Every structure is written in structure tokens, then in C-alpha cells.
Amino acid sequence: MSEVDNRHLLGLEGMSREGIVQILDQAENFKEIAKRPVKKVPALRGKNILMAFFEPSTRTKMSFQMAAKRLSADTYGISTSMSSLTKGETLIDTVRNIEAMAVDMIVMRHGFSGAHRFLSRYIDKPIINAGDGWHEHPTQALLDMLTIRDNKGGFEGLKVALVGDIAHSRVAHSNIFGLSTMGADIHICGPYPMIPMELEKLGNVKVFPKIEDAIRGVDVIMMLRIQLERMPKHLFPTSREYSTIFGLNRKRVELAHKDAIVMHPGPINRGVEMEPDVADGPRSVILDQVTNGVAVRMAVLYLQMLQMGVTQ
Ligand code: NCD
């Protein structure tokens, strides 16, 4: 269901190595378009892409829009507050009505885990998951993986630490699926109620209670935001306590490999999961992740469209 050679991109769980590499390689090819004076190619000219964002988004929404426009597609947007969902219409009816206006593809973010899979039973057009609840955020993990590959050359045997709210993070889940498929060793760390222990069953995932142990010797440190909007209040003590126990500061970064890179999908809560001097420091590749996001989304839109036989 989730592979690039299938109709939809719902997640990285179950996607093959070849599927991941195909997207990363295509994204690598597309990067160069951003450096041209005219940042546009005609690959998806005349195609209509719906951007349905039913949850807040800055980077992801803008990145998908830019990706579509760089491929010359036309984009149309809806959000919860401005759609008939507020008048009681169901998600299926809303999307079916828009499908009836001949859209070619649907990029969607939704607060419910599994919303995309559910919708895919009723919609013929390709659906790209731009984040579903706690579940998956495949294009974020793919752009993270492109950034890792740019800096480290590959994934086999690479040590990657994911620190923060793993349980509620769709970014963590997609990265864990994608990176373990590619042969990386994953260290996960965070407050106990936010660590799903069953992840260790994946084989190359290990849980570390202390951040110092999780990041010692790793090649990549990926910090994640506490998803306060997705948890009951009592799970989280205070920001100060969290940053003391799990926050990334310069001293802790020194425990990682001397060439380790520091990542964050954004939005960052500066001073909570990461100190500002680390976020803006020499190891940080956070803005490279954002740059790579456009190329990765171009690759996903293009390859999914190609799969449907609708590119020119
Ligand atoms: C993430 C998201 O929305 O899942 N952000 C993003 O897409 N860049 C991470 C987060 O909200 O913490």
C-alpha cells in the first residue's frame, strides 16, 4: 500500500529499500532546479493537486506547494476552518466533491491517525500523506534521510539517536521504519510514558533511558518536539525539568561522534528540546532539512504521478 510503486504514499512502514532509494535519487536530481534562475520544469504541467491541510502547518504545506509549482502543477488548497467540514460534511464527502472537479492528486494532513488509509478506500486519486495524527509523516522522514545521506554517504551501520516524544511523533515513526529498512541502528530516548517499548522488537532499535547514553558515539542526533497537543496533561512535568533531563546542549553534543550532525523537523521549542546555540551551531543541518524537503516532495509528486501514467 505504502510503496512508491503503488497508488498512494501513506507511510514508510513496509516500503522497500529500492522504493526509498528511488525517491532519494529522484530528489537528488531535482535539487538542481532550485539553483536555476527560472525554478520550474514542465513535468506536471496541467495537473491539478489538492492541498488539504486539516491541521496547522508551515514548512510542510509551503514545501509541498513549492514542489508542485516547481513541477508546473496547479495547486488548490482547503483547510478545516474554511471548508464545509465546519457545516457537518464528512471528510469523504468533502474530498469526493473535490475529486469530482478532476483533481489528479491529493496531498493531505489530518489529525486522525489512519485518516489517509481510510480515505484511500473511497478515493481513486493518489493520496500523499503529509502527516496523520501520531502515525506517519513519510515525506518528512524521506527528507531527513536525504539530509543524512548527503552528510554521511549512506545508512548501513549508521548510528542515529532519536530523542524526545517518540510515542506521539509521526516523524519518529516514519524515520524508525525508513532508517531501519536502510540498515541504520536506532537509539531512542525520552520520558518513559513517551517511549513505546515494542519498538525494540524491530531489531535494530534500542531504548536508552538517559540521553547521554543514547547519543554517545552516534553519527546523527535527531531531536523531536514534545507533542503537548496529542497527550493528556499529566504526562509532561515542566519544560524546565524536561530540558534538564532530555534537552540537547553543547556539552551533550560533544558525547556524539566528532562529525555528528544535529537535526530537528521543526517547529523547535528553543530552550526545551534544544538550546539555541546548538540549533544554530556548526553541527546543525536543520535548514538543510527544509531545503531538501522541496526536492523530496517534488520527487514524491512526480513518481506517484508517473505511477498513475499521467505525466507528460
Ligand atoms: C512535524 C509535524 O507536523 O509532524 N513538523 C513538520 O512537519 N515539519 C513535527 C512537529 O510538529 O513536531
Side-chain angles (χ1 to χ4, degrees):
M1 251 326 229
S2 58
E3 293 198 35
V4 74
D5 54 357
N6 287 316
R7 199 161 45 115
H8 310 290
L9 178 64
L10 303 180
L12 296 193
E13 185 174 13
M15 188 185 278
S16 65
R17 269 182 189 230
E18 295 69 36
I20 292 173
V21 171
Q22 185 188 16
I23 297 172
L24 300 186
D25 288 350
Q26 184 65 59
E28 198 58 52
N29 285 336
F30 278 146
K31 272 186 189 177
E32 166 271 323
I33 295 167
K35 299 192 183 109
R36 297 185 191 174
V38 177
K39 301 175 180 45
K40 231 177 185 17
V41 291
L44 299 185
R45 191 168 55 203
K47 301 293 175 277
N48 293 339
I49 302 181
L50 172 68
M51 302 286 168
F53 278 75
F54 300 119
E55 256 199 347
S57 175
T58 313
R59 269 158 295 268
T60 306
K61 187 172 171 185
M62 180 65 87
S63 182
F64 267 112
Q65 271 167 348
M66 266 195 186
K69 287 180 196 300
R70 284 191 188 162
L71 294 169
S72 304
D74 294 314
T75 62
Y76 302 87
I78 50 166
S79 58
T80 313
S81 58
M82 283 160 63
S83 75
S84 295
L85 288 167
T86 56
K87 300 181 189 169
E89 189 173 59
T90 66
L91 178 63
I92 298 176
D93 279 337
T94 302
V95 178
R96 267 189 178 156
N97 274 271
I98 295 164
E99 194 185 23
M101 297 179 208
V103 294
D104 297 294
M105 181 175 273
I106 296 153
V107 175
M108 185 171 91
R109 170 170 285 197
H110 200 283
F112 289 157
S113 304
H116 300 69
R117 188 169 292 278
F118 169 72
L119 204 62
S120 69
R121 291 196 223 133
Y122 302 92
I123 302 289
D124 288 330
K125 294 296 182 297
I127 300 172
I128 309 295
N129 184 358
D132 65 324
W134 313 2
H135 178 228
E136 280 227 40
H137 191 353
T139 60
Q140 176 68 43
L142 288 162
L143 74 87
D144 294 337
M145 291 168 79
L146 184 62
T147 311
I148 293 173
R149 196 175 77 167
D150 286 350
N151 283 278
K152 300 289 162 198
F155 303 98
E156 199 63 58
L158 208 68
K159 289 191 172 62
V160 183
L162 268 64
V163 182
D165 180 2
I166 310 293
H168 302 100
S169 169
R170 52 195 177 203
V171 177
H173 298 147
S174 291
N175 266 294
I176 289 168
F177 291 130
L179 287 167
S180 57
T181 299
M182 298 307 290
D185 289 326
I186 301 158
H187 297 187
I188 59 178
C189 174
Y192 260 122
M194 299 175 199
I195 300 291
M197 298 304 281
E198 67 273 12
L199 282 176
E200 281 200 317
K201 292 197 193 110
L202 282 174
N204 42 0
V205 178
K206 201 161 182 283
V207 173
F208 291 84
K210 292 180 73 176
I211 183 170
E212 288 81 1
D213 298 332
I215 64 181
R216 191 166 287 117
V218 299
D219 305 288
V220 178
I221 308 172
M222 195 182 292
M223 301 304 290
L224 299 162
R225 186 177 65 88
I226 295 291
Q227 310 271 305
L228 284 176
E229 72 277 24
R230 302 193 203 283
M231 68 176 78
K233 294 247 174 319
H234 63 269
L235 278 193
F236 189 68
T238 63
S239 300
R240 185 192 291 223
E241 187 177 321
Y242 180 82
S243 70
T244 308
I245 302 175
F246 295 106
L248 191 64
N249 52 35
R250 267 198 294 184
K251 207 166 142 233
R252 285 178 173 158
V253 172
E254 292 313 314
L255 296 170
H257 189 279
K258 65 175 180 35
D259 298 322
I261 53 170
V262 172
M263 306 177 73
H264 194 302
I268 304 176
N269 286 139
R270 285 172 180 259
V272 181
E273 61 264 19
M274 190 182 278
E275 291 305 318
D277 59 351
V278 175
D280 305 324
R283 311 281 195 101
S284 170
V285 293
I286 294 170
L287 292 177
D288 299 331
Q289 291 173 258
V290 180
T291 305
N292 281 342
V294 181
V296 160
R297 284 159 183 142
M298 287 171 80
V300 165
L301 297 178
Y302 177 72
L303 291 170
Q304 288 301 134
M305 236 20 135
L306 203 65
Q307 181 62 31
M308 299 297 285
V310 289
T311 50
Q312 21 198 344

